[in-house]
Amino acid sequence: MDFTYTPAQNELAKRVAEFAAEKIAPHRQEQDRAGTYRPDLIADMAAVDLFALRIPEQYGGLGLDVVSAGIALERLAAADLAVCFPVLNAALVGGVLADNGTPEQRAAWLPPIARGEAVVALALTEPDHGTDAAGIRMSAEADGDGWVLTGEKTSIMIAAHATHALVFARTGGDGPRGISAFYIPLDDARIHRERLTDLGCRAGGRGRIVLDGVRIGRGELVGEPGGGFAAVMRGFGVSRAYIALMAIAVGNAALDEAYAHATRRTAFGQPLGRFQSVAFPLVEHTTLLHAARLVAYEALCTADRGEDPRIPSNMAKWWAPKAAVEATHQALLTMGHLGWSEDGPVAQRLRDVIGLQLADGTAAATKLTVARLVLGREYAP
C-alpha cells in the first residue's frame, strides 16, 4: 500500500497551501466576524483553479483525480473551513452535471463553474426533510415546454453567495424515484433567499431558498425524470470523504496551536508539554485524526480505481467530524483562557467544525448506510 503523493499531487498540495497561507488564513477571523466572504475571495480562488479541480479538461477544468481534490480541500480547511464550501460544491455539483447532463448541458454549464463565474449551491434539504431526503416535497409540475417549481429549501450552504443551484424536486410519486434534479440560475424574481444565523462557518452564507412558482425550461432538467436522488447519492459517496478530510484539517490545525502553546507556556517551572496530563491527550487526538485521515483517503483512492467508495467514505464521515470536534475541544482546554477567547486561534475552529457533524449526512445516516452495505437492507435498520 503506497501512501505517497504523486509529483503532481505534491505540487498541488504546495500550491494550495501557499495560496491558503497568503489569501485565506489572514482573513479567517475577519470574515467570521463580518459573516460573509471578503469581496475578492471567489475571484482569488478562481484564479488558482480551485473550482476547476474536478471539471473535465474538455470543459475548461483540470480533470484531476478524486484524491487530488481531497488534497486541495484539506489545505484550504486548515486555513479556513468556511471557504471550502464553494470548492466542495463545484466538485460535487460539477460531477453530477458531468455524469448526467447532455453534451449541450455540459458545454453550457461546466465551463462557468470551472472559471468561478457560476458559484453553485446544492439545494436538497427542506424544513421537514433533512436526513429523510427521499421525502422532500418541493414540487416540479410539468407545464407546456417546461416546469414550474414551488417550495422551500433550507440549510443550504453558500445560499447567500451562489449564482446557481442544483435543485431537487418531486416530479413523480413518493420516494426517491419520484425526485428529479434541475440546474437553475438564482436570479429569478420569484426566488427568494434568506441568510441564516449560525454557530460557526458564519461567512459561508447558509440560508433558505424559496421558489415561488418558478418557471424553467425543459433544458434545466438534469438526466432523466426521477433520477435526481440517485445521482446526488452517488456524489455523496465521494463528498462525504472530502468533508471528513476538511474536519480532520481543522482538528489538526487546532492541535498544532496546542502543541506550540505547550512549548511556549510554562507552569510550575517547566514547559506545559512536560506534563503527561497535557501531552498525552494531545497525542491521543493526533492518533485518532491520523487514523481517520487514512480511512478518508482510502475512500478517495477506492473511487479513483472506479470501485464503490461508500463503506470507507461513510465510515470516515461519521468518525472524522466527531474526532475533530473532540480534538479541537482538547486544544481549547490545553490553551486555557487563550483557547476560550474569540481573539485566540481555536475558538472559531471549534464553532466551525461542529457543523460538519451535520453536513452531507449525520452520524446516524452514515452509520445506517454502512450497516445496509455490510448486512444487506433486509437485515439492517
Side-chain angles (χ1 to χ4, degrees), residues 275-301:
F275 296 96
Q276 292 183 7
S277 60
V278 173
F280 285 8
L282 297 178
V283 170
E284 290 169 6
H285 288 292
T286 298
T287 303
L288 291 171
L289 288 180
H290 181 77
R293 185 172 183 266
L294 295 179
V295 176
Y297 272 113
E298 178 191 354
L300 300 185
C301 289

Side-chain angles (χ1 to χ4, degrees), residues 79-377:
D80 184 0
L81 178 61
V83 308
C84 291
F85 296 102
V87 178
L88 176 70
N89 282 2
L92 173 57
V93 173
V96 173
L97 299 181
D99 291 343
N100 298 277
T102 66
E104 294 77 17
Q105 288 173 330
R106 294 195 294 267
W109 294 340
L110 293 177
I113 295 175
R115 294 191 297 265
E117 296 166 2
V119 179
V120 293
L122 183 81
L124 178 62
T125 299
E126 296 182 2
D128 295 323
H129 297 93
T131 299
D132 180 20
I136 64 169
R137 303 312 309 166
M138 176 175 278
S139 65
E141 299 287 344
D143 184 36
D145 60 352
W147 303 85
V148 176
L149 274 63
T150 302
E152 177 184 343
K153 299 295 181 179
T154 195
S155 195
I156 307 305
M157 207 61 196
I158 68 167
H161 306 295
T163 63
H164 293 71
L166 185 64
V167 177
F168 296 85
R170 190 161 297 284
T171 55
D174 293 339
R177 291 186 176 86
I179 297 172
S180 301
F182 301 87
Y183 184 68
I184 65 173
L186 295 177
D187 57 358
D188 191 301
R190 292 160 297 182
I191 298 177
H192 311 285
R193 287 187 269 181
E194 177 188 349
R195 182 189 292 265
L196 300 175
T197 302
D198 294 333
L199 174 67
C201 285
R202 293 169 177 169
R206 188 180 69 99
R208 299 169 62 237
I209 302 176
V210 179
L211 282 70
D212 184 13
V214 175
R215 174 177 286 279
I216 60 174
R218 287 280 174 182
E220 276 68 47
L221 174 68
V222 181
E224 297 296 324
F229 188 79
V232 75
M233 287 298 113
R234 287 192 296 271
F236 284 167
V238 169
S239 69
R240 285 174 174 170
Y242 288 153
I243 289 174
L245 287 173
M246 289 157 51
I248 290 161
V250 175
N252 278 327
L255 289 175
D256 287 344
E257 298 282 359
Y259 280 120
H261 181 78
T263 64
R264 293 191 302 261
R265 180 70 179 268
T266 60
F268 306 103
Q270 57 185 332
L272 286 183
R274 295 288 300 276
F275 296 96
Q276 292 183 7
S277 60
V278 173
F280 285 8
L282 297 178
V283 170
E284 290 169 6
H285 288 292
T286 298
T287 303
L288 291 171
L289 288 180
H290 181 77
R293 185 172 183 266
L294 295 179
V295 176
Y297 272 113
E298 178 191 354
L300 300 185
C301 289
T302 300
D304 275 332
R305 292 196 303 269
E307 300 171 9
D308 187 348
R310 286 179 297 168
I311 289 178
S313 179
N314 282 278
M315 287 176 172
K317 176 57 183 69
W318 80 255
W319 180 23
K322 178 177 185 292
V325 167
E326 292 170 353
T328 309
H329 185 200
Q330 185 62 49
L332 185 153
L333 296 177
T334 301
M335 300 180 74
H337 63 85
L338 179 60
W340 178 246
S341 172
E342 286 285 0
D343 294 323
V346 299
Q348 179 194 339
R349 294 192 191 277
L350 181 58
R351 289 191 287 104
D352 286 352
V353 77
I354 287 171
L356 295 188
Q357 293 184 288
L358 302 171
D360 267 22
T362 63
T366 48
K367 289 176 185 178
L368 178 62
T369 298
V370 175
R372 288 177 173 177
L373 289 169
V374 172
L375 291 168
R377 276 184 170 268

